Amino acid sequence: MKNSTSHFIVLLFPVITVVLIGCFSSSRSVTQLSDLEKAYIEEESIRVLTLDSALYTFESFSFSDSTLYGEGRRKYKKETANFQGTITFSEIVFVERLKSNGWKAFWLVPMSAAVIGGMATLMEPSEFTIRRSGSCPFIYSYDGSEFVLEAEAFSTAISQALETQTFHLLPSLKSNRGEVKVRITNERPETHMFNSIKLFAVDALRAPSVVMDTENNVWAVHNARMPVSARDHSDTDILDTIKKKDGTFWKSGMEDISLDSDFRDKVEVQFELPQEKSEATLIVDAINSELITEVYSAAGAIIGEESLMFYQALEQDTDLKNFFLSWIRKSSLLIEITDGNGWKEVGSLLPEANMVPFTRAIHLENLDDYESPLTVRFSSMTDVWHIDALSVDYSNEAPHAMQSL
């Protein structure tokens, strides 16, 4: 992870503010501004969602280079009223075209893509060929010869109600004459919105490698230790599969999953715990399965033409928001340790992506009360997590300070 021309490991820090359709797979085509013109010429109705989560349905409309004028209905929270007036394009998140044969719609103008002459239009096609699924923003590092896919950002933020921030290590990033290049691409028909995107660096010259924990601290890894034993929920010995990072992933044995298992995978591992050590960095190398994509796709198919109403409800309905937060927690990787008298939760890892293997850590403290071997349990919703390796490092150092570039 060392930079060949400097002493820095570089990180990317994207902060999301609003993601309507976020990382949710959309089955509707995204087209250019000409479709808005076509809807106007053919006197079709449109539906508009604004940043304040108000939903407008216009039976007739017109537009200028910076505003949309419409007549119809405005729905905000539980109140619906007639509306006649103007909305600026800077206020609009999505426009949906409603054809006359029922509520058949497709995404029309994603307002955050680019603004030219006050109107929103799509960016020119990416030079990348899309050969994969997935939907979150793809983050690429320039390694001196090409852009390398490193991560996907804010995978669980499907709306403003679930906005979040994510940090990602960029181990392939190399500087050239004091400059580095990072590329973020939108390779699915959806819109991503950011508060800010920042680049940080840490001085890690003496570290063989580094990892980032769930608190976004960067820790040096000097001597990662493999587990001494590892078994899954079916009591299968999986030590050879997860003892080193080699691209061979442990995956759930679906035939062992039943109602009795609560549809959760469980992996229990043991590490040697030196007597004098009270802190450790627990490291997880993993990838998330396609199950998340399939769930999103199925949900999108069910919601269909009511997508905008769904996102409006998600912004305003506390119970619906809490349901999704609960679902995110269930799909996260729960980490627990035991002293023999019960399990204690020490942290959890959010699902990060479904296409990019990643490394994330949990920093453990107050291990004085635990005896060797240190027993750790990892559990999650069935088949969401595929584990490449689990390891622990007892290097007693402070986390690296991050410098904003």
Side-chain angles (χ1 to χ4, degrees):
M1 295 179 122
K2 292 181 181 177
N3 190 319
S4 61
T5 57
S6 75
H7 296 173
F8 292 108
I9 301 293
V10 182
L11 308 103
L12 183 69
F13 175 26
V15 184
I16 182 176
T17 176
V18 183
V19 182
L20 294 162
I21 303 306
C23 291
F24 202 103
S25 296
S26 171
S27 61
R28 308 305 186 203
S29 300
V30 176
T31 62
Q32 297 186 6
L33 182 59
S34 58
D35 290 297
L36 184 59
E37 298 171 347
K38 185 176 180 181
Y40 171 74
I41 293 171
E42 297 182 2
E43 299 182 347
E44 293 181 344
S45 300
I46 60 172
R47 192 154 52 192
V48 177
L49 183 65
T50 53
L51 286 170
D52 61 357
S53 296
L55 188 65
Y56 299 80
T57 302
F58 293 144
E59 303 301 331
S60 62
F61 72 95
S62 60
F63 58 92
S64 67
D65 62 347
S66 60
T67 60
L68 177 69
Y69 175 85
E71 297 181 15
R73 299 181 305 280
R74 178 182 186 269
K75 181 179 180 182
Y76 182 70
K77 295 184 178 180
K78 296 182 179 181
E79 297 183 0
T80 302
N82 293 331
F83 177 87
Q84 179 177 347
T86 299
I87 305 172
T88 64
F89 281 105
S90 60
E91 298 176 85
I92 296 175
V93 179
F94 279 95
V95 177
E96 207 174 38
R97 182 176 169 184
L98 306 177
K99 295 187 177 181
S100 57
N101 58 344
W103 294 92
K104 303 295 184 181
F106 60 89
W107 302 125
L108 187 59
V109 186
M111 291 298 159
S112 69
V115 177
I116 299 177
M119 285 293 292
T121 184
L122 292 181
M123 300 175 67
E124 290 297 316
S126 169
E127 64 186 71
F128 300 103
T129 300
I130 301 175
R131 296 189 179 92
R132 52 185 171 270
S133 61
S135 64
C136 301
F138 289 95
I139 303 172
Y140 294 82
S141 293
Y142 191 68
D143 67 358
S145 60
E146 63 180 352
F147 281 95
V148 179
L149 179 62
E150 301 268 42
E152 294 180 54
F154 46 78
S155 60
T156 60
I158 65 170
S159 77
Q160 184 177 7
L162 302 176
E163 67 181 43
T164 186
Q165 62 183 26
T166 55
F167 290 69
H168 300 278
L169 286 169
L170 304 180
S172 301
L173 194 59
K174 299 291 186 297
S175 65
N176 180 20
R177 298 178 181 178
E179 294 183 349
V180 293
K181 296 180 181 180
V182 176
R183 177 171 288 171
I184 304 175
T185 67
N186 177 6
E187 302 183 20
R188 297 285 288 177
E190 59 193 17
T191 294
H192 307 135
M193 298 184 181
F194 301 85
N195 271 336
S196 64
I197 302 170
K198 297 181 180 179
L199 201 61
F200 293 87
V202 297
D203 192 343
L205 177 64
R206 294 178 298 276
S209 63
V210 296
V211 294
M212 178 175 284
D213 68 13
T214 53
E215 302 298 322
N216 303 315
N217 296 312
V218 179
W219 300 87
V221 178
H222 291 282
N223 183 24
R225 304 191 183 195
M226 297 182 298
V228 295
S229 70
R231 309 191 78 84
D232 66 11
H233 50 263
S234 64
D235 200 33
T236 301
D237 186 343
I238 61 171
L239 181 60
D240 288 341
T241 305
I242 58 96
K243 68 181 180 180
K244 62 180 179 179
K245 184 179 178 180
D246 57 4
T248 301
F249 293 86
W250 171 84
K251 302 179 181 180
S252 176
M254 299 298 288
E255 67 277 3
D256 300 317
I257 299 301
S258 65
L259 287 173
D260 295 334
S261 71
D262 194 30
F263 295 100
R264 291 185 66 81
D265 292 330
K266 296 182 179 68
V267 171
E268 188 173 311
V269 300
Q270 292 184 324
F271 299 94
E272 291 182 357
L273 176 59
Q275 188 173 0
E276 72 280 5
K277 299 298 184 181
S278 62
E279 295 186 21
T281 303
L282 183 63
I283 305 165
V284 178
D285 294 286
I287 190 171
N288 294 132
S289 72
E290 287 293 326
L291 180 61
I292 296 296
T293 300
E294 293 303 319
V295 171
Y296 280 150
S297 298
I302 293 172
I303 294 169
E305 63 270 11
E306 304 302 328
S307 297
L308 288 187
M309 292 183 178
F310 165 77
Y311 285 107
Q312 183 196 41
L314 186 55
E315 300 304 313
Q316 301 171 0
D317 190 317
T318 302
D319 290 339
L320 183 60
K321 175 183 175 180
N322 289 337
F323 170 82
F324 272 86
L325 290 174
S326 173
W327 181 80
I328 290 171
R329 177 171 173 78
K330 288 180 180 179
S331 62
S332 297
L333 187 66
L334 177 66
I335 303 174
E336 304 165 286
I337 58 177
T338 182
D339 59 3
N341 296 313
W343 293 98
K344 174 186 176 182
E345 180 179 345
V346 292
S348 62
L349 304 182
L350 288 172
E352 291 198 7
N354 53 38
M355 295 305 302
V356 186
F358 57 90
T359 301
R360 188 65 71 159
I362 293 281
H363 193 70
L364 305 177
E365 299 178 337
N366 304 317
L367 297 177
D368 308 81
D369 298 333
Y370 295 86
E371 297 181 355
S372 186
L374 179 66
T375 304
V376 186
R377 183 169 70 183
F378 303 82
S379 61
S380 178
M381 183 186 298
T382 294
D383 200 41
V384 173
W385 288 79
H386 297 173
I387 298 175
D388 190 359
L390 299 171
S391 58
V392 66
D393 184 86
Y394 294 104
S395 303
N396 189 18
E397 295 183 1
H400 290 288
M402 294 195 295
Q403 174 189 356
S404 180
L405 299 181

